[in-house]
Amino acid sequence: GPGPMVKLTPLVINLNEASGRHYIKTTIVFEIGQKEWVEEVEKRIPSLADMVISTLCDRRLEDLKRPQSREEIKKEILARAQKTLQSPKIKQVYFDEFLFQ
């Protein structure tokens, strides 16, 4: 079954647009591989949030409109989260909210 979940606070991130008028609002949920790892992941929330912001601020609005973009972003965030934690403690990444304008 699914593992324990750790939810980041909602993030509002400016997209990489010349006009500077486009942004994404998202809430990320990390599925943790084992219950014993939750506390360690929770201690790293600031660095994980920073990593998510860095990942998404490079995106453009047209990138987000592609149907496969959410899955690509989730895979990238998962890989970068595991690198941030220096272990595969995060099993899956989910979007609880994903709005862009």
Side-chain angles (χ1 to χ4, degrees):
M5 304 286 179
V6 173
K7 186 175 188 176
L8 298 182
T9 57
L11 301 169
V12 178
I13 303 158
N14 289 322
L15 296 173
N16 185 11
E17 298 286 336
S19 69
R21 295 181 176 194
H22 299 290
Y23 63 89
I24 181 171
K25 180 180 182 192
T26 188
T27 304
I28 304 286
V29 179
F30 294 114
E31 181 180 353
I32 312 305
Q34 295 181 21
K35 188 169 75 170
E36 300 80 35
W37 297 339
V38 170
E39 187 177 337
E40 181 182 343
V41 172
E42 287 176 339
K43 288 179 183 177
R44 302 294 305 273
I45 284 179
S47 59
L48 290 167
D50 181 67
M51 176 274 301
V52 170
I53 292 168
S54 297
T55 302
L56 293 175
C57 74
D58 288 337
R59 303 285 180 190
R60 299 180 52 122
L61 183 62
E62 61 193 49
D63 298 333
L64 299 178
K65 289 181 179 179
R66 292 183 298 117
Q68 69 272 24
S69 68
R70 286 185 199 166
E71 286 305 313
E72 291 171 359
I73 292 169
K74 288 190 328 187
K75 287 178 185 175
E76 183 176 352
I77 289 172
L78 177 60
R80 292 183 72 179
Q82 291 173 342
K83 185 176 179 182
T84 298
L85 296 174
Q86 299 178 340
S87 73
K89 289 184 169 68
I90 295 176
K91 186 171 149 182
Q92 188 59 262
V93 174
Y94 302 100
F95 290 115
D96 193 41
E97 179 177 42
F98 192 89
L99 306 169
F100 53 85
Q101 179 177 331

